[in-house]
Amino acid sequence: MSEWVLSEYTDGIVHVRLNRASKKNALTSDMYRALSEHIKAAAADIEVKAVVISAEGSDFCAGNDILDFMQSGFLNGGVEDLPVFQFLKSINYFPKPLVAAVQGQAVGVGTTMLLHCDLVYLSSDARLSLPFLQLGLVPEAGSSRLLPKLVGHQRAFAWMALGEAVTASEALRLNLATAVVDDDVLDAAMTAARKLAQLSPSALRHTKSLMRDPDDLWAVIVEEGRIFREQLASPEAAQAFAAFMKKSA
C-alpha cells in the first residue's frame, strides 16, 4: 500500500489518513488503490465499527495529482477497472459509518468523496471546491445526483458551473456538513466515531442501507466516468490542463 495513505485501528475504529501534505494530499493512482484496500478491509472485518478519514497538513485534499492523472492511462480500459473508480466503489458500497475530518482546501474528489460520508466535520477554515467545469470536465463520484438532492438544483448548478469555493459555515447551512469545529476537527470526528462504535452494528448497517441506494448511485458514477473520459479528450479540457500545468511549472 502507498506510504501516502496510513491506516490505524483502535477500539473498533479504523483511522485512514492521507499523508502527502507536501502536495496538499493530491491523490495518485497508488493512493486510490491504498484507500480502496483499506476501506474494503474495514468493510470485511467484523471488529471494525466505523472508519474515519482525515489528512495530514493544512489541507484535506487538492483533488487529483494532475501529472499522475494524465500519465495513469485514464483514457484506456474499462471505467470500473480504474483505481479512482475502485475507491469510489468502495465508499459507495461501504456498509458501516464513514466519518470525515476536513481542514483547509478540499478540491474536486476531495469534496465529492464527502458526499458519501455519514458524518462530516469541517474546520472553520475549510473550503470546498468543484472545479470540474473550469477544466472542461463533468462532476464525478455521483455528485451530479447527490448534490442537487442535498442543496437543490440551482445552488448545486451554480457551485459546479461558477467555480466558487464554499466556506465551512456555508457548507453547514447547505447540509453538506455535520458540524464546523473551531479547534481540533479530527478529535470531533473521532469522538463521534467512538459513539457510533457503541451502537448496534446491525442496526447501524440496516439504517444506512435504508437511507441510501448504492446500486442506483453506482450506475450514475459509472455514467459520469464515461462522460468524464469523453470530455478529457476534448480540446477544451486539453487547453485547460495545459494552462494548469504551465501555471504549476
Side-chain angles (χ1 to χ4, degrees):
M1 292 188 183
S2 173
E3 62 182 328
W4 293 330
V5 178
L6 307 178
S7 178
E8 180 181 14
Y9 172 84
T10 306
D11 298 330
I13 301 166
V14 170
H15 178 198
V16 179
R17 288 180 291 150
L18 304 181
N19 188 41
R20 201 186 181 205
S22 62
K23 295 293 185 180
K24 299 183 178 182
N25 296 305
L27 296 170
T28 66
S29 294
D30 285 343
M31 292 174 73
Y32 279 124
R33 291 188 185 95
L35 283 166
S36 61
E37 288 303 313
H38 286 308
I39 297 296
K40 287 189 288 186
D45 189 342
I46 61 172
E47 297 299 321
V48 175
K49 305 300 191 296
V51 167
V52 174
I53 299 177
S54 72
E56 297 292 335
S58 58
D59 292 297
F60 178 70
C61 178
N64 287 303
D65 181 303
I66 297 299
L67 183 58
D68 177 87
F69 181 76
M70 297 305 291
Q71 295 175 344
S72 64
F74 190 84
L75 293 174
N76 303 318
V79 167
E80 297 184 50
D81 297 325
L82 297 169
V84 58
F85 284 92
Q86 287 301 302
F87 166 62
L88 295 178
K89 190 171 188 177
S90 71
I91 59 175
N92 179 58
Y93 283 100
F94 189 62
K96 303 173 184 180
L98 191 59
V99 184
V102 180
Q103 78 282 0
Q105 298 293 324
V107 181
V109 69
T111 285
T112 58
M113 73 168 76
L114 303 179
L115 302 176
H116 294 266
C117 295
D118 302 291
L119 298 174
V120 176
Y121 293 88
L122 302 179
S123 66
S124 56
D125 70 337
R127 299 291 184 273
L128 312 183
S129 304
L130 297 175
F132 300 110
L133 273 73
Q134 285 68 46
L135 292 172
L137 303 173
V138 296
E140 36 83 309
S143 57
S144 64
R145 173 71 57 84
L146 293 172
L147 264 183
K149 283 187 175 181
L150 282 170
V151 306
H153 173 84
Q154 288 82 4
R155 187 65 186 89
F157 185 84
W159 189 14
M160 292 175 177
L162 302 180
E164 299 171 352
V166 170
T167 65
S169 59
E170 180 71 358
L172 181 62
R173 189 183 71 80
L174 291 172
N175 300 320
L176 296 168
T178 306
V180 175
V181 180
D182 291 327
D183 43 19
D184 191 337
V185 69
L186 177 57
D187 182 65
M190 293 299 291
T191 297
R194 285 190 287 270
K195 291 179 180 179
L196 293 172
Q198 300 305 310
L199 301 175
S200 162
S202 61
L204 279 173
R205 184 177 65 253
H206 286 305
T207 298
K208 182 167 178 173
S209 176
L210 290 166
M211 294 174 70
R212 301 176 71 91
D213 186 348
D215 290 335
D216 178 68
L217 187 55
W218 181 244
V220 174
I221 293 172
V222 172
E223 179 64 6
E224 287 174 340
R226 183 188 68 78
I227 300 172
F228 190 104
R229 292 212 302 186
E230 289 180 356
Q231 286 299 122
L232 190 60
S234 70
E236 296 87 355
Q239 184 178 5
F241 274 82
F244 178 88
M245 296 303 292
K246 183 178 180 179
K247 182 179 179 181
S248 301

